[in-house]
Amino acid sequence: MTGSSDNVRRRRGRARPSPLPIRDGVDATRVVLRSGPEFTVGEALLGSPSLAGLTADDLHRRAAAGEIVDAGGRPVDLDSASQMNISLYLYRDLPDEVEIPFDVPVLYRDENIVVVDKPHFLATMPRGRHVTQSALVRLRRELGTDTISPAHRLDRLTAGVLLFTLRPGVRSAYQELFAARTARKEYRALAPVDETLTETVTVRDRIEKTAGDLRARVVDGPVNAISDITLIDQTDRGGVYRLNPHTGRTHQLRLHMASVGVPIVDDPLYPDVRPELAEKPDHGDFSAPLRLVAHALEFTDPLTGEERRFVSRRSVLG
C-alpha cells in the first residue's frame, strides 16, 4: 500500500549477516561479484553499480585497513582473481543527503519494541541515496542500539505510526504480524471532497509495479489489492478520508484514491507524474508533503497477548 510494505521480513530473512559491524548506525555494503577470474577482485568491485564513484585508490585504502572482507570476515586481496557470485563487504562513502528537518517522536517503547511517529520525507530504512536520512539510522544513533529493526515499512513520503523491534530474538514474531496481515491499519488522507464516499467504497483490483517504473499500475488478473475508502470530514482544504487497506501492494492507497477520482493532495505520481513536486525535497523544500498519514496501528501482541493500539499525532491538514 502506499507508504507501506509488509515484505520486510521476507527480504531481511534472506539477507546474510554482515561480518562487519554497523558503523555509526549504518550497515556495511554487501557487493556480489558479477565478474569471473579474467578480472581481479578490485576490477570486479570497481565495476559494481553500488560502488559508483569509488576509485582504485579508495579500494586499496579500505583493503589495507582490513575493511573489505568476504562472508567469513576474512580480508580480501584485491589483486586476486575474481569469482562469480561471491559476496564481499565494505564500508562505502555515504551519499550527500539533504537533511530532513523533522524529529522522529517515540510514541511507545518497552524492552521489545519501539513505536515512532515517522515524519514525511524520511525513509524507513536506507535505500539508494537515502541512508542517514532514514528512520532506522536515526533511531540507531538516538537510542544507542544497533539491534533495532523495522517490523514493516512506510514509504518515504508517508508519515505516521511505524513499529520497530529492539531485540533480534523477538523480530520474527512482530514481523509476522504484517506478513500474515493480522495487524490492523488505518490511514488518513486529504483529497477533494466526494460526498458519495461518505458511504464506504471498497476498491478491489490487481496492482503490479515493475522495476524502473516510478508508478504502480492496475492490470488484468486476480485481485491482489483491496482498500476501503470513507469520507469522514469536510474542511475548507478538502475532504478527510479514512483508508483501511486489506492488502499491502506498493502505492496501493495512492492508486486507489486516484482511481475513484479523489487523488491525495500533493501526490507527485498519481494520477499524473509531477516532477516539479517530486523534486522539491531534493532542494530542501518540504512545504508540500503528500497528505497521507498512517493514523493508527492495532494488533494483538504476539509475546504478551495484550491488545495494542498506537495513534499518530500527525494531521493530514498539517
Side-chain angles (χ1 to χ4, degrees):
M1 66 197 65
T2 191
S4 181
S5 173
D6 297 331
N7 58 1
V8 171
R9 180 183 65 86
R10 296 185 184 93
R11 287 200 314 272
R12 294 182 69 87
R14 289 199 300 265
R16 301 178 183 180
S18 172
L20 292 175
I22 293 169
R23 175 184 285 180
D24 195 22
V26 180
D27 295 281
T29 296
R30 176 185 174 222
V31 179
V32 180
L33 299 188
R34 301 302 186 191
S35 301
E38 65 273 21
F39 295 91
T40 67
V41 169
E43 290 169 338
L45 285 172
L46 287 174
S48 172
S50 62
L51 299 181
L54 277 184
T55 67
D57 287 343
D58 294 330
L59 287 179
H60 280 91
R61 281 195 295 271
R62 284 168 169 76
E67 293 183 350
I68 305 179
V69 301
D70 63 17
R74 295 175 290 271
V76 170
D77 179 2
L78 296 180
D79 295 321
S80 63
S82 175
Q83 300 179 50
M84 287 283 291
N85 299 323
I86 65 167
S87 295
L88 301 181
Y89 298 80
L90 71 158
Y91 299 111
R92 65 184 176 102
D93 293 333
L94 297 178
D96 291 331
E97 299 180 64
V98 175
E99 183 178 357
I100 309 303
F102 308 113
D103 293 334
V104 187
V106 172
L107 298 174
Y108 175 82
R109 181 180 179 181
D110 62 23
E111 64 178 354
N112 296 317
I113 61 174
V114 59
V115 183
V116 302
D117 208 355
K118 188 184 83 67
H120 296 283
F121 305 109
L122 191 71
T124 294
M125 48 196 172
R127 183 178 181 183
R129 54 196 175 88
H130 304 287
V131 179
T132 62
Q133 297 305 303
S134 65
L136 177 59
V137 172
R138 288 258 195 107
L139 289 170
R140 281 174 173 172
R141 293 175 174 180
E142 291 172 10
L143 302 181
T145 175
D146 289 338
T147 60
I148 190 169
S149 179
H152 63 123
R153 184 174 65 86
L154 292 178
D155 283 349
R156 187 173 61 89
L157 298 186
T158 305
V161 180
L162 183 59
L163 171 67
F164 290 81
T165 59
L166 289 171
R167 298 191 293 119
V170 305
R171 185 175 303 161
S172 62
Y174 287 96
Q175 290 178 337
E176 184 62 25
L177 292 170
F178 300 91
R181 311 287 184 216
T182 57
R184 301 171 295 282
K185 304 174 188 179
E186 180 181 321
Y187 286 71
R188 293 282 194 271
L190 182 68
V193 171
D194 183 344
E195 293 186 351
T196 67
L197 295 174
T198 54
E199 296 292 332
T200 299
V201 169
T202 300
V203 181
R204 296 180 175 88
D205 54 26
R206 181 171 187 82
I207 292 176
E208 291 184 0
K209 188 175 184 299
T210 58
D213 191 343
L214 291 175
R215 303 201 302 168
R217 301 185 184 278
V218 175
V219 299
D220 293 334
V223 170
N224 67 357
I226 304 173
S227 306
D228 292 336
I229 299 172
T230 312
L231 176 64
I232 59 172
D233 193 15
Q234 298 182 42
T235 75
D236 58 359
R237 297 176 58 188
V240 177
Y241 291 82
R242 180 177 63 239
L243 310 177
N244 296 106
H246 299 281
T247 53
R249 309 305 300 181
T250 298
H251 295 181
Q252 176 178 315
L253 296 178
R254 295 164 67 179
L255 188 51
H256 281 175
M257 287 289 283
S259 73
V260 297
V262 287
I264 299 171
V265 171
D266 290 329
D267 191 330
L269 293 181
Y270 304 97
D272 302 305
V273 177
R274 300 166 62 189
E276 78 290 347
L277 185 58
E279 293 168 2
K280 280 179 176 286
D282 295 334
H283 302 290
D285 183 348
F286 305 101
S287 61
L290 174 71
R291 299 295 176 170
L292 179 67
V293 172
H295 175 72
L297 175 65
E298 297 180 74
F299 57 88
T300 302
D301 192 292
L303 302 184
T304 67
E306 181 181 355
E307 292 300 319
R308 304 277 199 181
R309 177 177 169 84
F310 304 105
V311 178
S312 173
R313 297 168 186 159
R314 302 185 187 277
S315 168
V316 294
L317 298 174

